[in-house]
Amino acid sequence: VQLQASGGGLVQAGGSLRLSCAASGFVFRNFFVGWFRQAPGKEREFVAALSRVGGRTAYADSVKGRFTISRDNAKATVYLQMNDLKTDDTAVYYCVVDYYSMTNFRSWGQGTQVTVSS
């Protein structure tokens, strides 16, 4: 399993970013996908998850209505559209996949830094 996240950067509060995560080394369409994040000095926290064919989603309360997770199985890519960003969204964002579960992800990619300035 290889997961390559990209799209992070520096953005002002209220702005938007779209993260991408390119997957390889496995049959992407058979896996649940998700995003976690870790802010400085804090534990990793769940952000969003998506089922195999995209019919079910789950979001952390802190991002509901602002973030949207999606996937393109043909491109083996998962996305995280982040709108109305807040300074509290500053973190390293990680994409994750799992074959069995949408709540217990066992394969993690490297992170991409998102910094939201006030």
Side-chain angles (χ1 to χ4, degrees), residues 35-37 45-49 57-67 69 80 89:
W35 291 91
F36 278 68
R37 67 186 182 186
E45 64 172 353
F46 168 77
V47 175
T57 57
Y59 293 95
D61 287 343
S62 58
V63 307
K64 278 182 183 176
R66 300 189 298 122
F67 289 12
I69 187 172
L80 186 67
D89 295 319

CSV table of all heavy atoms in Angstrom, one decimal, residues 35-37 45-49 57-67 69 80 89:
chain,number,residue,atom,x,y,z
A,35,TRP,N,-9.3,10.6,6.0
A,35,TRP,CA,-8.3,11.6,6.3
A,35,TRP,C,-8.3,11.8,7.8
A,35,TRP,O,-9.3,11.8,8.5
A,35,TRP,CB,-8.6,12.9,5.6
A,35,TRP,CG,-8.5,12.9,4.2
A,35,TRP,CD1,-9.5,12.7,3.3
A,35,TRP,CD2,-7.3,13.2,3.4
A,35,TRP,NE1,-9.0,12.8,2.0
A,35,TRP,CE2,-7.7,13.1,2.0
A,35,TRP,CE3,-6.0,13.6,3.7
A,35,TRP,CZ2,-6.8,13.4,1.0
A,35,TRP,CZ3,-5.1,13.8,2.7
A,35,TRP,CH2,-5.5,13.7,1.4
A,36,PHE,N,-7.1,11.9,8.3
A,36,PHE,CA,-6.8,12.3,9.7
A,36,PHE,C,-5.9,13.5,9.7
A,36,PHE,O,-5.4,13.9,8.7
A,36,PHE,CB,-6.1,11.1,10.5
A,36,PHE,CG,-7.1,10.1,11.0
A,36,PHE,CD1,-7.7,9.2,10.1
A,36,PHE,CD2,-7.3,9.9,12.3
A,36,PHE,CE1,-8.6,8.2,10.5
A,36,PHE,CE2,-8.1,8.9,12.8
A,36,PHE,CZ,-8.8,8.1,11.9
A,37,ARG,N,-5.8,14.1,10.8
A,37,ARG,CA,-4.9,15.3,11.0
A,37,ARG,C,-4.3,15.3,12.3
A,37,ARG,O,-4.8,14.7,13.3
A,37,ARG,CB,-5.6,16.6,10.7
A,37,ARG,CG,-6.7,17.0,11.7
A,37,ARG,CD,-7.4,18.2,11.2
A,37,ARG,NE,-8.4,18.7,12.2
A,37,ARG,CZ,-9.3,19.7,12.0
A,37,ARG,NH1,-9.2,20.3,10.8
A,37,ARG,NH2,-10.1,20.0,12.9
A,45,GLU,N,-6.3,13.2,15.0
A,45,GLU,CA,-7.8,13.1,15.1
A,45,GLU,C,-8.4,12.8,13.7
A,45,GLU,O,-7.9,13.2,12.7
A,45,GLU,CB,-8.3,14.4,15.6
A,45,GLU,CG,-8.1,15.6,14.7
A,45,GLU,CD,-8.9,16.9,15.3
A,45,GLU,OE1,-9.7,16.8,16.2
A,45,GLU,OE2,-8.7,17.9,14.6
A,46,PHE,N,-9.5,12.1,13.8
A,46,PHE,CA,-10.3,11.8,12.6
A,46,PHE,C,-10.8,13.0,12.0
A,46,PHE,O,-11.3,13.9,12.7
A,46,PHE,CB,-11.4,10.8,13.0
A,46,PHE,CG,-12.4,10.6,11.9
A,46,PHE,CD1,-12.2,9.8,10.9
A,46,PHE,CD2,-13.6,11.2,12.0
A,46,PHE,CE1,-13.1,9.6,9.9
A,46,PHE,CE2,-14.6,11.0,11.0
A,46,PHE,CZ,-14.3,10.2,10.0
A,47,VAL,N,-10.8,13.1,10.6
A,47,VAL,CA,-11.4,14.2,9.9
A,47,VAL,C,-12.6,13.7,9.1
A,47,VAL,O,-13.7,14.2,9.2
A,47,VAL,CB,-10.4,14.8,9.0
A,47,VAL,CG1,-11.0,15.9,8.1
A,47,VAL,CG2,-9.2,15.4,9.8
A,48,ALA,N,-12.4,12.7,8.2
A,48,ALA,CA,-13.5,12.3,7.3
A,48,ALA,C,-13.2,10.9,6.8
A,48,ALA,O,-12.0,10.5,6.8
A,48,ALA,CB,-13.6,13.2,6.1
A,49,ALA,N,-14.3,10.2,6.4
A,49,ALA,CA,-14.1,8.9,5.8
A,49,ALA,C,-15.2,8.6,4.8
A,49,ALA,O,-16.2,9.3,4.8
A,49,ALA,CB,-14.2,7.8,6.9
A,57,THR,N,-20.5,8.5,4.1
A,57,THR,CA,-19.5,9.4,4.5
A,57,THR,C,-19.6,9.6,6.1
A,57,THR,O,-20.6,9.3,6.7
A,57,THR,CB,-19.6,10.8,3.9
A,57,THR,OG1,-20.9,11.3,4.2
A,57,THR,CG2,-19.4,10.7,2.4
A,58,ALA,N,-18.5,10.0,6.6
A,58,ALA,CA,-18.5,10.3,8.0
A,58,ALA,C,-17.5,11.5,8.2
A,58,ALA,O,-16.5,11.6,7.5
A,58,ALA,CB,-18.0,9.2,8.9
A,59,TYR,N,-17.9,12.5,9.1
A,59,TYR,CA,-17.1,13.6,9.3
A,59,TYR,C,-17.0,13.9,10.8
A,59,TYR,O,-17.9,13.7,11.5
A,59,TYR,CB,-17.7,14.9,8.6
A,59,TYR,CG,-17.7,14.8,7.1
A,59,TYR,CD1,-18.9,14.4,6.4
A,59,TYR,CD2,-16.6,15.2,6.4
A,59,TYR,CE1,-18.9,14.3,5.0
A,59,TYR,CE2,-16.6,15.2,5.0
A,59,TYR,CZ,-17.8,14.7,4.3
A,59,TYR,OH,-17.8,14.7,2.9
A,60,ALA,N,-15.9,14.5,11.1
A,60,ALA,CA,-15.7,15.1,12.5
A,60,ALA,C,-16.7,16.3,12.6
A,60,ALA,O,-16.9,17.0,11.6
A,60,ALA,CB,-14.3,15.5,12.7
A,61,ASP,N,-17.2,16.5,13.8
A,61,ASP,CA,-18.1,17.6,14.0
A,61,ASP,C,-17.5,18.9,13.6
A,61,ASP,O,-18.1,19.8,13.1
A,61,ASP,CB,-18.6,17.6,15.4
A,61,ASP,CG,-19.6,16.5,15.7
A,61,ASP,OD1,-20.2,15.9,14.8
A,61,ASP,OD2,-19.8,16.2,16.9
A,62,SER,N,-16.2,19.0,13.9
A,62,SER,CA,-15.5,20.3,13.7
A,62,SER,C,-15.3,20.7,12.2
A,62,SER,O,-15.1,21.8,11.9
A,62,SER,CB,-14.1,20.2,14.3
A,62,SER,OG,-13.3,19.1,13.7
A,63,VAL,N,-15.6,19.7,11.3
A,63,VAL,CA,-15.4,20.0,9.9
A,63,VAL,C,-16.7,19.9,9.1
A,63,VAL,O,-16.7,20.2,7.9
A,63,VAL,CB,-14.3,19.2,9.2
A,63,VAL,CG1,-13.0,19.3,10.0
A,63,VAL,CG2,-14.7,17.7,9.1
A,64,LYS,N,-17.7,19.4,9.7
A,64,LYS,CA,-19.0,19.2,9.0
A,64,LYS,C,-19.5,20.5,8.4
A,64,LYS,O,-19.4,21.5,9.0
A,64,LYS,CB,-20.1,18.7,10.0
A,64,LYS,CG,-20.0,17.2,10.2
A,64,LYS,CD,-21.1,16.7,11.1
A,64,LYS,CE,-21.0,15.3,11.4
A,64,LYS,NZ,-22.0,14.8,12.4
A,65,GLY,N,-19.9,20.4,7.1
A,65,GLY,CA,-20.4,21.6,6.4
A,65,GLY,C,-19.3,22.4,5.8
A,65,GLY,O,-19.6,23.3,5.0
A,66,ARG,N,-18.1,22.1,6.1
A,66,ARG,CA,-16.9,22.8,5.5
A,66,ARG,C,-16.0,21.9,4.6
A,66,ARG,O,-15.5,22.4,3.6
A,66,ARG,CB,-16.1,23.5,6.6
A,66,ARG,CG,-16.8,24.4,7.5
A,66,ARG,CD,-15.9,25.2,8.4
A,66,ARG,NE,-15.2,24.3,9.3
A,66,ARG,CZ,-13.9,24.2,9.4
A,66,ARG,NH1,-13.1,24.9,8.6
A,66,ARG,NH2,-13.3,23.3,10.3
A,67,PHE,N,-15.9,20.7,5.0
A,67,PHE,CA,-15.0,19.8,4.3
A,67,PHE,C,-15.9,18.7,3.6
A,67,PHE,O,-16.9,18.3,4.1
A,67,PHE,CB,-14.1,19.0,5.3
A,67,PHE,CG,-13.0,19.9,5.9
A,67,PHE,CD1,-13.0,21.3,5.8
A,67,PHE,CD2,-12.0,19.3,6.6
A,67,PHE,CE1,-12.0,22.0,6.4
A,67,PHE,CE2,-11.0,20.0,7.2
A,67,PHE,CZ,-11.0,21.4,7.1
A,69,ILE,N,-15.2,15.0,1.5
A,69,ILE,CA,-14.3,13.9,1.1
A,69,ILE,C,-14.9,13.3,-0.2
A,69,ILE,O,-16.2,13.1,-0.3
A,69,ILE,CB,-14.1,12.8,2.2
A,69,ILE,CG1,-13.1,11.8,1.7
A,69,ILE,CG2,-15.4,12.2,2.6
A,69,ILE,CD1,-12.6,10.9,2.9
A,80,LEU,N,-9.9,15.7,-0.4
A,80,LEU,CA,-10.5,16.4,0.7
A,80,LEU,C,-10.6,17.9,0.3
A,80,LEU,O,-9.6,18.6,0.3
A,80,LEU,CB,-9.7,16.2,2.0
A,80,LEU,CG,-10.4,16.8,3.2
A,80,LEU,CD1,-11.6,16.0,3.6
A,80,LEU,CD2,-9.4,16.8,4.4
A,89,ASP,N,-7.7,24.6,11.9
A,89,ASP,CA,-7.5,23.5,10.9
A,89,ASP,C,-6.0,23.3,10.6
A,89,ASP,O,-5.7,22.3,9.9
A,89,ASP,CB,-8.3,23.8,9.6
A,89,ASP,CG,-9.8,23.8,9.8
A,89,ASP,OD1,-10.3,23.0,10.5
A,89,ASP,OD2,-10.4,24.7,9.2
